[in-house]
Amino acid sequence: PDGKQAILRMPADGTGAPQVFTAGMRNPTGLAVSGASLFAVEPNAVVTIDLATGQVQAREAVPNVGRLNDIAVAPDGRIFVSDFQRGAIHRRTASGWEVWLEGPEVSRPNGVCVADGRLVWGNNGDGSLKSADLTTGATSTIVALPGGIIDGVAPGPDGTLLVSHNEGRLFRVDRTGTVTVLLDLTVVGTNIADFTYRPDTSEVIFPTFLDNRVMAVRLTAR
């Protein structure tokens, strides 16, 4: 039931038991850090959490939603949230929340990130990676991916994008749109849900969802 979930924190080197950081969450599905705040997405709201203490500072209901999923914060502080059920991208500006993108180009969006002046999202309606210019909102298709549920999307090394299929695949998409499979855990039945990439260690860290683990893999140059 809503309100019985939590955000946990653990040491970055993977040692030690995870500790509850923020309790009383309502089925959170996406996280983003900006400045001194951690933002968490709930099905119909965005929660602002103090990054130092874990205390909830605000819970903002987002109007006209279906079911929210992931979140990204632009350098200027604008917040973007994907709405998987409605097929839309919501945006928070200084004047409040609004539906920023909606229509045939936005279908079952899941993972979102900000990279190179554009919002990038996994568009599960057609299995593609898409982007929209942060200034104009003009959309384009980056690449179509092989079959699977697109879950996580994040900027990778050297201008690449990293993308996960929930079924257990991790892809790299370079600036030319070339797709490389970096990891395939479908053979052992391990999921790759939303993930984070650490540039300082070249690690991709992700929850395995169904078997209750957090795993890390280190990317190597090639």
Short mmCIF file of all heavy atoms in Angstrom, two decimals, residues 64-131:
data_model
loop_
_atom_site.label_atom_id
_atom_site.label_comp_id
_atom_site.label_asym_id
_atom_site.label_seq_id
_atom_site.Cartn_x
_atom_site.Cartn_y
_atom_site.Cartn_z
N ASN A 64 -3.32 16.35 -13.94
CA ASN A 64 -3.62 15.74 -15.25
C ASN A 64 -2.69 14.60 -15.63
O ASN A 64 -2.25 14.48 -16.77
CB ASN A 64 -3.60 16.81 -16.35
CG ASN A 64 -4.51 17.98 -16.06
OD1 ASN A 64 -5.67 17.79 -15.71
ND2 ASN A 64 -3.98 19.20 -16.18
N VAL A 65 -2.37 13.75 -14.64
CA VAL A 65 -1.44 12.64 -14.91
C VAL A 65 -2.20 11.34 -15.12
O VAL A 65 -3.36 11.18 -14.71
CB VAL A 65 -0.43 12.47 -13.77
CG1 VAL A 65 0.35 13.73 -13.53
CG2 VAL A 65 -1.10 11.98 -12.49
N GLY A 66 -1.51 10.40 -15.79
CA GLY A 66 -1.97 9.03 -15.83
C GLY A 66 -1.26 8.26 -14.74
O GLY A 66 -1.80 8.00 -13.67
N ARG A 67 0.03 7.93 -15.00
CA ARG A 67 0.90 7.35 -13.98
C ARG A 67 2.33 7.76 -14.30
O ARG A 67 2.86 7.42 -15.37
CB ARG A 67 0.78 5.82 -13.93
CG ARG A 67 1.57 5.19 -12.78
CD ARG A 67 1.37 3.70 -12.72
NE ARG A 67 2.11 3.11 -11.61
CZ ARG A 67 1.65 2.98 -10.37
NH1 ARG A 67 0.42 3.40 -10.10
NH2 ARG A 67 2.38 2.44 -9.42
N LEU A 68 2.93 8.50 -13.38
CA LEU A 68 4.28 9.00 -13.60
C LEU A 68 5.30 7.89 -13.43
O LEU A 68 5.05 6.88 -12.77
CB LEU A 68 4.58 10.14 -12.62
CG LEU A 68 3.62 11.33 -12.67
CD1 LEU A 68 3.99 12.37 -11.62
CD2 LEU A 68 3.60 11.96 -14.05
N ASN A 69 6.50 8.11 -14.03
CA ASN A 69 7.50 7.05 -13.99
C ASN A 69 8.89 7.55 -13.61
O ASN A 69 9.37 7.29 -12.53
CB ASN A 69 7.53 6.33 -15.34
CG ASN A 69 8.24 5.01 -15.27
OD1 ASN A 69 9.40 4.94 -14.90
ND2 ASN A 69 7.55 3.93 -15.62
N ASP A 70 9.56 8.29 -14.51
CA ASP A 70 10.94 8.69 -14.26
C ASP A 70 11.06 10.21 -14.28
O ASP A 70 10.14 10.91 -14.69
CB ASP A 70 11.87 8.06 -15.30
CG ASP A 70 13.32 8.05 -14.85
OD1 ASP A 70 13.58 8.22 -13.63
OD2 ASP A 70 14.21 7.89 -15.70
N ILE A 71 12.23 10.71 -13.86
CA ILE A 71 12.42 12.15 -13.68
C ILE A 71 13.82 12.55 -14.10
O ILE A 71 14.79 11.78 -13.98
CB ILE A 71 12.18 12.53 -12.19
CG1 ILE A 71 12.26 14.04 -11.97
CG2 ILE A 71 13.14 11.78 -11.27
CD1 ILE A 71 11.77 14.47 -10.60
N ALA A 72 13.94 13.77 -14.63
CA ALA A 72 15.24 14.36 -14.99
C ALA A 72 15.19 15.84 -14.69
O ALA A 72 14.14 16.48 -14.80
CB ALA A 72 15.55 14.13 -16.47
N VAL A 73 16.34 16.40 -14.30
CA VAL A 73 16.43 17.82 -13.97
C VAL A 73 17.44 18.47 -14.90
O VAL A 73 18.58 18.01 -15.03
CB VAL A 73 16.85 18.04 -12.50
CG1 VAL A 73 16.85 19.53 -12.17
CG2 VAL A 73 15.92 17.29 -11.55
N ALA A 74 17.02 19.54 -15.58
CA ALA A 74 17.89 20.29 -16.48
C ALA A 74 18.82 21.18 -15.67
O ALA A 74 18.55 21.49 -14.51
CB ALA A 74 17.06 21.12 -17.45
N PRO A 75 19.93 21.64 -16.27
CA PRO A 75 20.86 22.52 -15.55
C PRO A 75 20.22 23.79 -15.01
O PRO A 75 20.67 24.32 -13.98
CB PRO A 75 21.92 22.85 -16.61
CG PRO A 75 21.90 21.67 -17.53
CD PRO A 75 20.47 21.25 -17.60
N ASP A 76 19.16 24.29 -15.66
CA ASP A 76 18.51 25.51 -15.17
C ASP A 76 17.44 25.23 -14.12
O ASP A 76 16.74 26.14 -13.69
CB ASP A 76 17.90 26.28 -16.34
CG ASP A 76 16.80 25.51 -17.06
OD1 ASP A 76 16.47 24.38 -16.63
OD2 ASP A 76 16.27 26.03 -18.06
N GLY A 77 17.31 23.98 -13.70
CA GLY A 77 16.38 23.64 -12.63
C GLY A 77 15.02 23.16 -13.08
O GLY A 77 14.21 22.72 -12.25
N ARG A 78 14.72 23.22 -14.38
CA ARG A 78 13.44 22.68 -14.86
C ARG A 78 13.41 21.17 -14.65
O ARG A 78 14.40 20.48 -14.88
CB ARG A 78 13.24 23.01 -16.34
CG ARG A 78 12.89 24.46 -16.61
CD ARG A 78 12.75 24.70 -18.11
NE ARG A 78 14.02 24.52 -18.81
CZ ARG A 78 14.14 24.49 -20.13
NH1 ARG A 78 13.07 24.63 -20.90
NH2 ARG A 78 15.33 24.32 -20.68
N ILE A 79 12.25 20.68 -14.22
CA ILE A 79 12.09 19.26 -13.93
C ILE A 79 11.18 18.64 -14.98
O ILE A 79 10.13 19.20 -15.32
CB ILE A 79 11.50 19.06 -12.52
CG1 ILE A 79 12.46 19.61 -11.46
CG2 ILE A 79 11.22 17.58 -12.25
CD1 ILE A 79 11.93 19.55 -10.06
N PHE A 80 11.57 17.48 -15.48
CA PHE A 80 10.80 16.75 -16.49
C PHE A 80 10.45 15.37 -15.94
O PHE A 80 11.31 14.69 -15.38
CB PHE A 80 11.60 16.61 -17.78
CG PHE A 80 11.96 17.93 -18.42
CD1 PHE A 80 13.12 18.60 -18.04
CD2 PHE A 80 11.15 18.50 -19.39
CE1 PHE A 80 13.46 19.82 -18.63
CE2 PHE A 80 11.48 19.71 -19.98
CZ PHE A 80 12.64 20.37 -19.59
N VAL A 81 9.20 14.97 -16.11
CA VAL A 81 8.73 13.69 -15.60
C VAL A 81 7.98 12.96 -16.71
O VAL A 81 7.13 13.54 -17.38
CB VAL A 81 7.81 13.87 -14.38
CG1 VAL A 81 7.42 12.51 -13.81
CG2 VAL A 81 8.48 14.71 -13.31
N SER A 82 8.31 11.69 -16.90
CA SER A 82 7.60 10.89 -17.91
C SER A 82 6.31 10.34 -17.32
O SER A 82 6.24 9.98 -16.14
CB SER A 82 8.50 9.75 -18.41
OG SER A 82 8.87 8.89 -17.35
N ASP A 83 5.29 10.29 -18.15
CA ASP A 83 3.98 9.77 -17.76
C ASP A 83 3.67 8.59 -18.68
O ASP A 83 3.21 8.74 -19.81
CB ASP A 83 2.93 10.87 -17.93
CG ASP A 83 1.57 10.50 -17.37
OD1 ASP A 83 1.25 9.29 -17.31
OD2 ASP A 83 0.82 11.42 -16.99
N PHE A 84 3.95 7.40 -18.19
CA PHE A 84 3.84 6.18 -18.99
C PHE A 84 2.40 5.93 -19.42
O PHE A 84 2.14 5.57 -20.56
CB PHE A 84 4.36 4.99 -18.15
CG PHE A 84 4.46 3.69 -18.90
CD1 PHE A 84 5.61 3.37 -19.60
CD2 PHE A 84 3.41 2.79 -18.90
CE1 PHE A 84 5.71 2.17 -20.28
CE2 PHE A 84 3.50 1.58 -19.59
CZ PHE A 84 4.66 1.27 -20.28
N GLN A 85 1.46 6.14 -18.52
CA GLN A 85 0.07 5.80 -18.80
C GLN A 85 -0.60 6.81 -19.73
O GLN A 85 -1.31 6.43 -20.66
CB GLN A 85 -0.71 5.71 -17.49
CG GLN A 85 -2.15 5.24 -17.65
CD GLN A 85 -2.80 4.96 -16.31
OE1 GLN A 85 -2.28 4.20 -15.51
NE2 GLN A 85 -3.93 5.59 -16.06
N ARG A 86 -0.37 8.10 -19.51
CA ARG A 86 -0.99 9.12 -20.36
C ARG A 86 -0.29 9.25 -21.70
O ARG A 86 -0.90 9.64 -22.70
CB ARG A 86 -1.01 10.46 -19.64
CG ARG A 86 -1.52 11.60 -20.51
CD ARG A 86 -1.80 12.87 -19.76
NE ARG A 86 -2.13 13.95 -20.69
CZ ARG A 86 -2.66 15.11 -20.34
NH1 ARG A 86 -2.92 15.35 -19.07
NH2 ARG A 86 -2.93 16.03 -21.23
N GLY A 87 1.02 8.95 -21.75
CA GLY A 87 1.80 9.19 -22.95
C GLY A 87 2.17 10.65 -23.06
O GLY A 87 1.80 11.32 -24.03
N ALA A 88 2.91 11.15 -22.06
CA ALA A 88 3.22 12.58 -22.02
C ALA A 88 4.50 12.80 -21.21
O ALA A 88 4.94 11.94 -20.44
CB ALA A 88 2.07 13.37 -21.39
N ILE A 89 5.09 13.97 -21.42
CA ILE A 89 6.19 14.45 -20.59
C ILE A 89 5.69 15.71 -19.89
O ILE A 89 5.27 16.67 -20.55
CB ILE A 89 7.44 14.79 -21.42
CG1 ILE A 89 7.90 13.58 -22.25
CG2 ILE A 89 8.56 15.28 -20.50
CD1 ILE A 89 8.44 12.42 -21.46
N HIS A 90 5.70 15.70 -18.56
CA HIS A 90 5.31 16.87 -17.78
C HIS A 90 6.56 17.67 -17.42
O HIS A 90 7.64 17.12 -17.24
CB HIS A 90 4.59 16.45 -16.50
CG HIS A 90 3.35 15.64 -16.73
ND1 HIS A 90 2.09 16.19 -16.78
CD2 HIS A 90 3.18 14.30 -16.94
CE1 HIS A 90 1.19 15.23 -16.99
NE2 HIS A 90 1.83 14.08 -17.11
N ARG A 91 6.38 18.98 -17.29
CA ARG A 91 7.50 19.86 -16.98
C ARG A 91 7.10 20.83 -15.86
O ARG A 91 5.99 21.35 -15.85
CB ARG A 91 7.91 20.66 -18.22
CG ARG A 91 9.03 21.66 -17.98
CD ARG A 91 9.46 22.33 -19.26
NE ARG A 91 8.43 23.23 -19.80
CZ ARG A 91 8.60 24.01 -20.86
NH1 ARG A 91 9.76 24.00 -21.52
NH2 ARG A 91 7.63 24.81 -21.28
N ARG A 92 8.05 21.03 -14.93
CA ARG A 92 7.83 22.04 -13.91
C ARG A 92 8.76 23.22 -14.17
O ARG A 92 9.98 23.06 -14.27
CB ARG A 92 8.08 21.52 -12.50
CG ARG A 92 7.60 22.50 -11.42
CD ARG A 92 7.99 22.08 -10.03
NE ARG A 92 9.42 22.34 -9.78
CZ ARG A 92 10.02 22.15 -8.61
NH1 ARG A 92 9.33 21.68 -7.59
NH2 ARG A 92 11.30 22.40 -8.46
N THR A 93 8.14 24.39 -14.29
CA THR A 93 8.89 25.63 -14.45
C THR A 93 8.60 26.52 -13.25
O THR A 93 7.94 26.11 -12.29
CB THR A 93 8.48 26.35 -15.74
OG1 THR A 93 7.11 26.76 -15.63
CG2 THR A 93 8.63 25.43 -16.94
N ALA A 94 9.06 27.76 -13.29
CA ALA A 94 8.82 28.68 -12.18
C ALA A 94 7.34 28.96 -11.96
O ALA A 94 6.92 29.30 -10.86
CB ALA A 94 9.55 30.00 -12.44
N SER A 95 6.53 28.77 -13.00
CA SER A 95 5.10 29.04 -12.88
C SER A 95 4.27 27.81 -12.55
O SER A 95 3.05 27.90 -12.42
CB SER A 95 4.58 29.67 -14.18
OG SER A 95 4.83 28.80 -15.28
N GLY A 96 4.91 26.64 -12.42
CA GLY A 96 4.18 25.44 -12.04
C GLY A 96 4.30 24.32 -13.06
O GLY A 96 5.13 24.37 -13.97
N TRP A 97 3.44 23.30 -12.90
CA TRP A 97 3.49 22.12 -13.75
C TRP A 97 2.67 22.32 -15.02
O TRP A 97 1.62 22.96 -14.99
CB TRP A 97 2.97 20.91 -13.00
CG TRP A 97 3.90 20.40 -11.95
CD1 TRP A 97 3.86 20.65 -10.60
CD2 TRP A 97 5.04 19.56 -12.15
NE1 TRP A 97 4.89 20.02 -9.96
CE2 TRP A 97 5.63 19.34 -10.89
CE3 TRP A 97 5.61 18.95 -13.28
CZ2 TRP A 97 6.76 18.55 -10.73
CZ3 TRP A 97 6.74 18.17 -13.12
CH2 TRP A 97 7.30 17.97 -11.85
N GLU A 98 3.16 21.70 -16.10
CA GLU A 98 2.43 21.73 -17.36
C GLU A 98 2.76 20.48 -18.16
O GLU A 98 3.78 19.83 -17.93
CB GLU A 98 2.82 22.97 -18.18
CG GLU A 98 4.29 22.98 -18.59
CD GLU A 98 4.68 24.23 -19.36
OE1 GLU A 98 3.85 25.15 -19.45
OE2 GLU A 98 5.82 24.28 -19.87
N VAL A 99 1.86 20.12 -19.08
CA VAL A 99 2.17 19.05 -20.03
C VAL A 99 3.04 19.66 -21.12
O VAL A 99 2.61 20.54 -21.86
CB VAL A 99 0.89 18.45 -20.63
CG1 VAL A 99 1.25 17.42 -21.70
CG2 VAL A 99 0.04 17.80 -19.54
N TRP A 100 4.28 19.21 -21.20
CA TRP A 100 5.24 19.79 -22.14
C TRP A 100 5.18 19.10 -23.50
O TRP A 100 5.18 19.76 -24.54
CB TRP A 100 6.66 19.69 -21.56
CG TRP A 100 7.71 20.35 -22.39
CD1 TRP A 100 7.73 21.64 -22.83
CD2 TRP A 100 8.93 19.75 -22.88
NE1 TRP A 100 8.87 21.88 -23.56
CE2 TRP A 100 9.63 20.74 -23.59
CE3 TRP A 100 9.50 18.49 -22.76
CZ2 TRP A 100 10.86 20.49 -24.19
CZ3 TRP A 100 10.72 18.23 -23.34
CH2 TRP A 100 11.39 19.24 -24.05
N LEU A 101 5.14 17.77 -23.50
CA LEU A 101 5.07 17.02 -24.75
C LEU A 101 3.96 15.98 -24.66
O LEU A 101 3.81 15.31 -23.64
CB LEU A 101 6.40 16.30 -25.03
CG LEU A 101 7.63 17.14 -25.35
CD1 LEU A 101 8.85 16.22 -25.49
CD2 LEU A 101 7.43 17.96 -26.61
N GLU A 102 3.20 15.87 -25.73
CA GLU A 102 2.16 14.87 -25.81
C GLU A 102 1.81 14.68 -27.28
O GLU A 102 1.95 15.61 -28.08
CB GLU A 102 0.93 15.32 -25.02
CG GLU A 102 -0.14 14.25 -24.85
CD GLU A 102 -1.28 14.70 -23.96
OE1 GLU A 102 -1.59 15.91 -23.96
OE2 GLU A 102 -1.87 13.86 -23.27
N GLY A 103 1.36 13.49 -27.64
CA GLY A 103 1.01 13.25 -29.02
C GLY A 103 1.64 11.97 -29.53
O GLY A 103 2.19 11.18 -28.75
N PRO A 104 1.62 11.76 -30.84
CA PRO A 104 2.10 10.50 -31.41
C PRO A 104 3.58 10.23 -31.17
O PRO A 104 4.00 9.07 -31.21
CB PRO A 104 1.80 10.64 -32.91
CG PRO A 104 1.65 12.11 -33.14
CD PRO A 104 1.08 12.66 -31.88
N GLU A 105 4.37 11.26 -30.94
CA GLU A 105 5.80 11.06 -30.72
C GLU A 105 6.12 10.62 -29.29
O GLU A 105 7.26 10.24 -29.01
CB GLU A 105 6.57 12.35 -31.03
CG GLU A 105 6.57 12.73 -32.50
CD GLU A 105 7.21 11.65 -33.37
OE1 GLU A 105 8.28 11.16 -33.02
OE2 GLU A 105 6.59 11.28 -34.37
N VAL A 106 5.14 10.68 -28.40
CA VAL A 106 5.36 10.31 -26.99
C VAL A 106 4.38 9.20 -26.64
O VAL A 106 3.20 9.45 -26.40
CB VAL A 106 5.16 11.51 -26.05
CG1 VAL A 106 5.58 11.14 -24.63
CG2 VAL A 106 5.94 12.73 -26.53
N SER A 107 4.87 7.96 -26.61
CA SER A 107 4.01 6.81 -26.38
C SER A 107 4.66 5.88 -25.36
O SER A 107 5.74 5.36 -25.59
CB SER A 107 3.76 6.07 -27.69
OG SER A 107 2.99 4.92 -27.49
N ARG A 108 4.02 5.75 -24.21
CA ARG A 108 4.52 4.90 -23.11
C ARG A 108 5.97 5.25 -22.75
O ARG A 108 6.83 4.38 -22.69
CB ARG A 108 4.37 3.43 -23.49
CG ARG A 108 2.92 2.98 -23.67
CD ARG A 108 2.83 1.62 -24.32
NE ARG A 108 3.48 0.61 -23.53
CZ ARG A 108 3.94 -0.55 -24.00
NH1 ARG A 108 3.81 -0.82 -25.29
NH2 ARG A 108 4.52 -1.42 -23.21
N PRO A 109 6.26 6.52 -22.49
CA PRO A 109 7.63 6.91 -22.13
C PRO A 109 8.01 6.39 -20.75
O PRO A 109 7.19 6.36 -19.84
CB PRO A 109 7.58 8.43 -22.15
CG PRO A 109 6.17 8.76 -21.77
CD PRO A 109 5.34 7.68 -22.41
N ASN A 110 9.27 5.99 -20.63
CA ASN A 110 9.75 5.48 -19.35
C ASN A 110 10.96 6.29 -18.90
O ASN A 110 10.82 7.41 -18.47
CB ASN A 110 10.06 3.98 -19.47
CG ASN A 110 10.24 3.29 -18.12
OD1 ASN A 110 10.68 3.90 -17.16
ND2 ASN A 110 9.90 2.03 -18.06
N GLY A 111 12.19 5.75 -19.03
CA GLY A 111 13.37 6.44 -18.57
C GLY A 111 13.61 7.76 -19.29
O GLY A 111 13.40 7.85 -20.49
N VAL A 112 14.05 8.78 -18.54
CA VAL A 112 14.35 10.08 -19.13
C VAL A 112 15.68 10.58 -18.58
O VAL A 112 16.08 10.25 -17.46
CB VAL A 112 13.26 11.14 -18.84
CG1 VAL A 112 11.96 10.77 -19.53
CG2 VAL A 112 13.04 11.30 -17.34
N CYS A 113 16.37 11.40 -19.37
CA CYS A 113 17.58 12.08 -18.90
C CYS A 113 17.77 13.34 -19.72
O CYS A 113 17.14 13.53 -20.76
CB CYS A 113 18.81 11.17 -19.00
SG CYS A 113 19.45 10.92 -20.67
N VAL A 114 18.63 14.22 -19.24
CA VAL A 114 19.00 15.43 -19.95
C VAL A 114 20.44 15.26 -20.44
O VAL A 114 21.33 14.92 -19.65
CB VAL A 114 18.88 16.67 -19.06
CG1 VAL A 114 19.45 17.90 -19.76
CG2 VAL A 114 17.41 16.91 -18.69
N ALA A 115 20.65 15.48 -21.73
CA ALA A 115 21.99 15.34 -22.32
C ALA A 115 22.11 16.26 -23.52
O ALA A 115 21.24 16.28 -24.39
CB ALA A 115 22.23 13.89 -22.75
N ASP A 116 23.18 17.04 -23.55
CA ASP A 116 23.51 17.89 -24.71
C ASP A 116 22.35 18.81 -25.11
O ASP A 116 22.01 18.94 -26.29
CB ASP A 116 23.92 17.03 -25.91
CG ASP A 116 25.19 16.24 -25.66
OD1 ASP A 116 26.05 16.75 -24.93
OD2 ASP A 116 25.31 15.12 -26.19
N GLY A 117 21.73 19.45 -24.13
CA GLY A 117 20.68 20.42 -24.42
C GLY A 117 19.37 19.82 -24.89
O GLY A 117 18.54 20.51 -25.49
N ARG A 118 19.16 18.56 -24.62
CA ARG A 118 17.92 17.91 -25.04
C ARG A 118 17.46 16.94 -23.96
O ARG A 118 18.25 16.45 -23.15
CB ARG A 118 18.12 17.16 -26.36
CG ARG A 118 19.25 16.14 -26.29
CD ARG A 118 19.51 15.46 -27.62
NE ARG A 118 20.63 14.52 -27.50
CZ ARG A 118 20.90 13.57 -28.39
NH1 ARG A 118 20.15 13.46 -29.47
NH2 ARG A 118 21.92 12.76 -28.21
N LEU A 119 16.16 16.69 -23.95
CA LEU A 119 15.59 15.65 -23.11
C LEU A 119 15.55 14.37 -23.92
O LEU A 119 15.07 14.36 -25.06
CB LEU A 119 14.18 16.02 -22.65
CG LEU A 119 13.55 15.03 -21.67
CD1 LEU A 119 14.14 15.23 -20.28
CD2 LEU A 119 12.04 15.18 -21.63
N VAL A 120 16.06 13.30 -23.36
CA VAL A 120 16.09 12.00 -24.03
C VAL A 120 15.21 11.05 -23.25
O VAL A 120 15.26 11.01 -22.02
CB VAL A 120 17.52 11.45 -24.11
CG1 VAL A 120 17.55 10.10 -24.80
CG2 VAL A 120 18.44 12.44 -24.83
N TRP A 121 14.38 10.27 -23.95
CA TRP A 121 13.54 9.31 -23.23
C TRP A 121 13.39 8.02 -24.03
O TRP A 121 13.53 7.98 -25.24
CB TRP A 121 12.16 9.90 -22.95
CG TRP A 121 11.22 10.05 -24.11
CD1 TRP A 121 10.28 9.15 -24.56
CD2 TRP A 121 11.13 11.17 -25.00
NE1 TRP A 121 9.61 9.65 -25.64
CE2 TRP A 121 10.11 10.89 -25.93
CE3 TRP A 121 11.80 12.40 -25.09
CZ2 TRP A 121 9.75 11.78 -26.95
CZ3 TRP A 121 11.46 13.29 -26.11
CH2 TRP A 121 10.44 12.97 -27.01
N GLY A 122 13.09 6.95 -23.28
CA GLY A 122 12.78 5.67 -23.89
C GLY A 122 11.31 5.63 -24.23
O GLY A 122 10.46 5.76 -23.35
N ASN A 123 11.02 5.47 -25.50
CA ASN A 123 9.63 5.52 -26.00
C ASN A 123 9.16 4.09 -26.27
O ASN A 123 9.41 3.53 -27.34
CB ASN A 123 9.58 6.35 -27.28
CG ASN A 123 8.19 6.88 -27.58
OD1 ASN A 123 7.69 7.74 -26.86
ND2 ASN A 123 7.58 6.38 -28.63
N ASN A 124 8.49 3.49 -25.29
CA ASN A 124 8.15 2.09 -25.41
C ASN A 124 7.01 1.82 -26.39
O ASN A 124 6.79 0.67 -26.78
CB ASN A 124 7.81 1.51 -24.03
CG ASN A 124 9.06 1.21 -23.24
OD1 ASN A 124 9.83 0.33 -23.59
ND2 ASN A 124 9.29 1.96 -22.17
N GLY A 125 6.30 2.86 -26.80
CA GLY A 125 5.25 2.65 -27.79
C GLY A 125 5.78 2.11 -29.10
O GLY A 125 5.11 1.30 -29.76
N ASP A 126 7.00 2.51 -29.47
CA ASP A 126 7.61 1.99 -30.69
C ASP A 126 9.01 1.45 -30.46
O ASP A 126 9.75 1.16 -31.41
CB ASP A 126 7.64 3.06 -31.79
CG ASP A 126 8.44 4.30 -31.40
OD1 ASP A 126 9.06 4.30 -30.31
OD2 ASP A 126 8.42 5.28 -32.16
N GLY A 127 9.41 1.31 -29.18
CA GLY A 127 10.71 0.71 -28.86
C GLY A 127 11.90 1.54 -29.28
O GLY A 127 12.96 0.99 -29.59
N SER A 128 11.76 2.87 -29.29
CA SER A 128 12.85 3.72 -29.76
C SER A 128 13.34 4.65 -28.66
O SER A 128 12.68 4.86 -27.64
CB SER A 128 12.40 4.54 -30.97
OG SER A 128 11.43 5.49 -30.59
N LEU A 129 14.51 5.21 -28.90
CA LEU A 129 15.08 6.25 -28.07
C LEU A 129 14.82 7.57 -28.77
O LEU A 129 15.17 7.73 -29.95
CB LEU A 129 16.57 6.01 -27.88
CG LEU A 129 17.29 6.76 -26.76
CD1 LEU A 129 16.74 6.35 -25.40
CD2 LEU A 129 18.79 6.49 -26.82
N LYS A 130 14.18 8.53 -28.08
CA LYS A 130 13.80 9.79 -28.70
C LYS A 130 14.36 10.96 -27.90
O LYS A 130 14.77 10.81 -26.75
CB LYS A 130 12.29 9.90 -28.83
CG LYS A 130 11.69 8.85 -29.75
CD LYS A 130 10.27 9.18 -30.16
CE LYS A 130 9.78 8.20 -31.21
NZ LYS A 130 8.47 8.60 -31.77
N SER A 131 14.33 12.14 -28.52
CA SER A 131 14.82 13.33 -27.85
C SER A 131 13.97 14.53 -28.23
O SER A 131 13.29 14.53 -29.27
CB SER A 131 16.29 13.60 -28.18
OG SER A 131 16.43 14.01 -29.52
#
